[in-house]
Amino acid sequence: MLKKFAISALAIFLLLSCAKKEKVIKIGGVGPLTGSQSEVGQDLINGEKLAVEEINASGGLLGKKVVLVSMDDKADPKEAVSVAHKLVSDSQVIAVIGHLNSGATLPASRVYHQGGMVMLTPTSTNPKITKQGFKNVFRACITDEVQGPLCADFAIDKLSKEKFAVLHDKTAYGQGIAEQFTKKVIDREKSLLLFEGITEGDKDFTAISTKIKNLNPDLLFFGGAFPEGGLIIKQARQLGMDATFMAGDGCFAPEFMKIGGNASEGTIISFLASPWEEKESAKEFVAKFKKKYGVVKTYAPYGYECINIIAKAIKAAKKAERGALLGAMSDPNFYYEGILGNTQFDNKGDTKNKELYFYVVKEGKLQLCK
Amino acid sequence: MFTQQIINGLTLGCIYALIALGYTLIFGIIRLINFAQGEMSMVGAYIAIGITILLSKYGLLSENLLLTLPLIFVITITGCSLLGILVELVAIRPIRNSPALDALITTLGISIILQNSFMLLFGSNNKVFPSIFFQDSLFIRNAQISYLQIFIIGLSIVSMIILHIFINKSKLGRSMKAVSEDKVLANLMGININSIIRNTFIIASTMAAISGIMLCMYYGVARYDMGFIPGIKAFTAAILGGIGNIPGAVLGGVLLGIIEGLCAGYISADYKDVFSFILLIIILIFKPQGLLGEKVSQE
């Protein structure tokens, strides 16, 4: 009797869990939700959440509800790999949006590749990510191979600078963009006075700032994120360095100005998009996001866009399954027209939409350079 | 550039020296390395930022420097001292007679607890200290010295001198010396060991509090993990100078700061930490008791 009961209970349980399994589509969303870069990570995930809510409000995908599994990689490569293993081992997760930092995305992409899962990174710009020959890896933003040289061109042509000093934070992102920047500077036969790395998490940059001040460059380029960027410019200005400070998209965050204070004025920062409020295609998104989560800080539109790209691919695949989704994403005719413009992937998985915008810090705010 | 690098290094070295004094004092009394020393200065930085935010809310911040600055110091030192008493009472006293390794591990535990609880309470982003104090600079030849650097160096020297006089001249200070020489005999002479140890923790916490305020004033930011690296560096400084030796901690701190500055300035910023630890290894090989340390063989 007991045996029968146990078997039937087990059967019902299995049936229920099967039924439950069929009803949802899980998409992973990974970024640094805690740690020093949590500000940008939270922003990215909020964008993803908004997109998922909208999809569910209009009936879900293929008749199923979409669930966002948000995970925290703390911007740490080791943590990123363990998060990736967790996501891959859950068979209901069919794609992942992430990670945010190149240093985290690089090792994690191998794990997703082994699991046959689509990985779409919204913001990692290191060129190596799509050069590993992994068919499952896609990227919605431009690479440092585009960003670094464009920064150098802007500094040489628009700002007419001649002598350069370059610092980076030794991460995959920071060192990558700094090397690309430097290469272009040398190609264009301008003088490079210094190329050195600092340690991520360090707070004292007075020694290197003094050295840079004495070399007297026209422009100091920093490849790295805003916590160090803000401190470097603050300490360098305190020591009397008067060169223009320029940084890549890693410093594009309100906290950069908070840490740097008055010293951050006049800093040139490149970013992958024009101001969201002014962008015609993004206006609706900005209004909706503001209602729910407040002002768009940095990457929220990328999170939103990536979920919608995956959603369109799932619809095209007609099956909520890792392999089918990968097939749909790899179709050369696949495209998505959204708030970032037209996103279409080349054979490496990079977007064909390549734009870069330059901002200047004015009165504590980032304004587009015209 | 040389003068400038020396001054940068000296400022940093003074902050290291203050934290290192905490290590050395506690080690001198109970032969214990208190790894929560760096976290103490993080707590100090948070308290200082809390007060400045509170003061600026009521518009009292920039009115009078001579009034607000001592206020920040007094409250921060009190807060850290209370925490120091608590740490000693909860984590050190119950296992004072256990093997030295046990207490070492509890201090590591305290440091993890402090870091994580501050992260959970106040979030993990950078807290900004308003840059209002000593913003101007002074030029000596071609070096630029900010008044803040002068303030940090000056205050460190004053605190060290006060500590030196206190240890050698006051009754409490001499009792501390007695306890560090021989606990049992000092107890027989009528010295209350418990109160001496508690007072040592108060002094070590005071040093950490001062260094915490300096760190957040100098860099303008504070974060839950800000105490870790200065803590390790100060530990290095204490070993370098000879742990348990008070002038040694000061010498070690200042030396370490200057070496870091010169290495980053003249060799490469990539190898800044490498050189300071190479120095530590060299000292330990050729002079294991540290620069000014006495011979304490069993440690």
Side-chain angles (χ1 to χ4, degrees):
Chain A
M1 181 62 197
L2 192 66
K3 210 175 181 181
K4 240 185 194 170
F5 178 74
I7 289 170
S8 52
L10 191 69
I12 289 170
F13 174 74
L14 278 176
L15 268 174
L16 277 176
S17 56
C18 280
K20 210 177 161 195
K21 236 177 202 171
E22 298 230 321
K23 279 212 177 100
V24 296
I25 297 175
K26 284 189 187 167
I27 299 175
V30 199
L33 304 181
T34 60
S36 62
Q37 296 190 32
S38 58
E39 189 187 35
V40 292
Q42 296 281 4
D43 199 47
L44 176 73
I45 296 287
N46 284 342
E48 292 171 17
K49 278 185 192 155
L50 185 68
V52 167
E53 279 160 25
E54 279 178 22
I55 291 168
N56 286 334
S58 60
L61 284 177
L62 313 173
K64 291 170 195 166
K65 226 181 113 199
V66 179
V67 176
L68 179 73
V69 187
S70 65
M71 299 279 232
D72 179 16
D73 67 12
K74 301 187 177 109
D76 175 3
K78 295 188 287 295
E79 201 75 24
V81 170
S82 84
V83 164
H85 277 295
K86 251 183 227 163
L87 285 171
V88 165
S89 65
D90 183 347
S91 62
Q92 281 177 283
V93 179
I94 62 164
V96 61
I97 314 286
H99 298 203
L100 193 149
N101 309 75
S102 294
T105 309
L106 259 176
S109 61
R110 178 172 293 275
V111 180
Y112 298 124
H113 173 66
Q114 283 155 359
M117 195 155 109
V118 167
M119 183 197 86
L120 173 58
T121 173
T123 58
S124 296
T125 48
N126 190 299
K128 275 186 213 144
I129 293 167
T130 44
K131 281 186 178 167
Q132 304 172 95
F134 296 161
K135 286 215 154 49
N136 66 315
V137 172
F138 298 90
R139 159 157 47 204
C141 59
I142 58 165
T143 67
D144 296 332
E145 271 174 352
V146 182
Q147 190 176 185
L150 281 179
C151 283
D153 282 337
F154 186 84
I156 294 166
D157 298 332
K158 292 271 167 63
L159 307 172
S160 32
K161 303 293 181 193
E162 296 284 329
K163 293 178 291 174
F164 295 87
V166 179
L167 280 183
H168 61 83
D169 64 359
K170 292 190 261 193
T171 62
Y173 161 72
Q175 190 162 359
I177 189 172
E179 277 167 0
Q180 298 295 339
F181 180 91
T182 310
K183 221 161 104 192
K184 188 77 178 184
V185 166
I186 293 168
D187 279 355
R188 296 200 53 181
E189 294 172 344
K190 303 290 171 192
S191 65
L192 178 75
L193 306 175
L194 171 125
F195 181 87
E196 255 177 55
I198 52 130
T199 310
E200 204 189 6
D202 201 350
K203 290 210 159 48
D204 191 89
F205 306 113
T206 49
I208 188 72
S209 300
T210 304
K211 192 173 174 181
I212 292 168
K213 182 202 160 192
N214 282 39
L215 290 169
N216 198 18
D218 295 331
L219 183 130
L220 168 62
F221 181 83
F222 174 62
F226 58 89
E228 287 79 29
L231 285 172
I232 288 173
I233 187 58
K234 189 176 175 179
Q235 291 171 22
R237 289 274 183 266
Q238 185 92 55
L239 289 163
M241 185 204 75
D242 47 13
T244 307
F245 188 59
M246 187 180 200
D249 61 317
C251 286
F252 191 89
E255 221 176 285
F256 174 77
M257 281 80 80
K258 259 189 1 208
I259 296 169
N262 286 337
S264 64
E265 289 292 308
T267 301
I268 310 280
I269 301 177
S270 66
F271 194 58
L272 320 173
S274 60
W276 303 109
E277 293 81 9
E278 290 167 24
K279 205 171 176 138
E280 211 45 59
S281 55
K283 271 185 178 155
E284 201 191 331
F285 162 78
V286 171
K288 278 189 282 189
F289 190 83
K290 209 168 188 173
K291 228 190 232 164
K292 193 121 199 190
Y293 301 104
V295 188
V296 173
K297 284 176 185 150
T298 44
Y299 294 131
Y302 277 89
Y304 182 84
E305 187 84 337
C306 285
I307 289 281
N308 284 322
I309 292 172
I310 295 283
K312 190 177 177 193
I314 291 174
K315 271 186 214 158
K318 297 193 182 73
K319 242 193 323 190
E321 189 210 58
R322 287 180 190 173
L325 178 62
L326 182 54
M329 290 276 288
S330 313
D331 180 355
N333 294 322
F334 176 79
Y335 75 97
Y336 179 78
E337 186 81 37
I339 55 178
L340 299 178
N342 185 30
T343 300
Q344 200 169 0
F345 300 108
D346 63 15
N347 55 1
K348 284 191 309 192
D350 279 326
T351 178
K352 290 179 183 167
N353 186 4
K354 296 187 198 307
E355 287 179 319
L356 190 69
Y357 297 85
F358 292 91
Y359 290 73
V360 61
V361 179
K362 242 189 208 153
E363 284 148 17
K365 291 216 162 58
L366 286 156
Q367 290 177 359
L368 192 69
C369 284
K370 296 227 164 92
Chain B
M1 171 162 152
F2 183 74
T3 335
Q4 183 77 64
Q5 294 293 20
I6 292 284
I7 290 160
N8 295 340
L10 193 62
T11 317
L12 193 61
C14 281
I15 300 177
Y16 289 161
L18 283 177
I19 309 175
L21 277 173
Y23 277 108
T24 255
L25 278 170
I26 292 174
F27 185 85
I29 297 287
I30 49 174
R31 301 274 168 238
L32 164 75
I33 290 159
N34 177 19
F35 276 114
Q37 208 55 38
E39 270 58 47
M40 277 295 181
S41 74
M42 178 270 291
V43 174
Y46 268 76
I47 297 175
I49 286 184
I51 301 165
T52 49
I53 289 174
L54 218 65
L55 283 175
S56 65
K57 231 181 201 170
Y58 296 104
L60 298 166
L61 197 54
S62 48
E63 273 182 6
N64 194 344
L65 211 70
L66 283 175
L67 203 75
T68 46
L69 208 55
L71 187 72
I72 292 173
F73 272 91
V74 168
I75 298 178
T76 309
I77 289 172
T78 317
C80 282
S81 300
L82 289 175
L83 187 67
I85 295 173
L86 187 75
V87 166
E88 194 265 329
L89 204 66
V90 174
I92 312 288
R93 191 172 299 181
I95 52 166
R96 198 193 296 154
N97 294 322
S98 322
L101 203 58
D102 296 13
L104 191 83
I105 290 167
T106 55
T107 62
L108 266 178
I110 294 284
S111 112
I112 295 169
I113 290 171
L114 283 175
Q115 268 197 33
N116 285 286
S117 51
F118 270 70
M119 184 185 85
L120 292 172
L121 280 172
F122 302 107
S124 53
N125 54 345
N126 281 296
K127 305 280 171 284
V128 177
F129 187 86
S131 37
I132 41 164
F133 299 117
F134 312 111
Q135 285 309 291
D136 300 322
S137 305
L138 200 75
F139 288 88
I140 297 179
R141 278 192 278 169
N142 48 16
Q144 185 170 2
I145 312 167
S146 68
Y147 287 116
L148 186 60
Q149 286 178 317
I150 296 175
F151 172 75
I152 288 175
I153 297 169
L155 186 66
S156 308
I157 293 172
V158 170
S159 336
M160 289 165 201
I161 292 173
I162 291 176
L163 184 73
H164 184 77
I165 296 172
F166 174 80
I167 298 279
N168 288 307
K169 296 275 156 20
S170 76
K171 185 159 180 282
L172 183 64
R174 276 179 298 175
S175 318
M176 280 168 67
K177 274 177 116 175
V179 172
S180 97
E181 302 238 317
D182 193 326
K183 267 201 211 66
V184 181
L185 212 60
N187 203 359
L188 289 175
M189 293 297 156
I191 294 173
N192 182 346
I193 306 261
N194 280 345
S195 109
I196 294 295
I197 293 175
R198 192 190 314 121
N199 283 317
T200 310
F201 270 85
I202 291 176
I203 297 168
S205 306
T206 303
M207 293 293 157
I210 297 173
S211 71
I213 301 171
M214 286 173 174
L215 277 173
C216 74
M217 272 169 96
Y218 193 41
Y219 299 130
V221 290
R223 210 168 75 194
Y224 70 96
D225 60 354
M226 66 178 282
F228 180 71
I229 292 176
I232 293 288
K233 294 274 172 67
F235 175 61
T236 311
I239 300 276
L240 194 63
I243 195 152
N245 183 301
I246 291 170
V250 177
L251 180 71
V254 170
L255 211 58
L256 192 69
I258 290 177
I259 287 166
E260 267 187 15
L262 291 180
C263 283
Y266 287 100
I267 304 171
S268 166
D270 298 80
Y271 294 101
K272 192 174 89 175
D273 295 346
V274 176
F275 285 107
S276 38
F277 291 112
I278 285 179
L279 178 81
L280 175 73
I281 292 170
I282 292 172
I283 295 283
L284 283 179
I285 290 172
F286 294 105
K287 211 164 180 317
Q289 69 272 34
L291 290 174
L292 300 182
E294 308 108 69
K295 280 192 197 112
V296 267
S297 49
Q298 72 269 34
E299 273 85 31

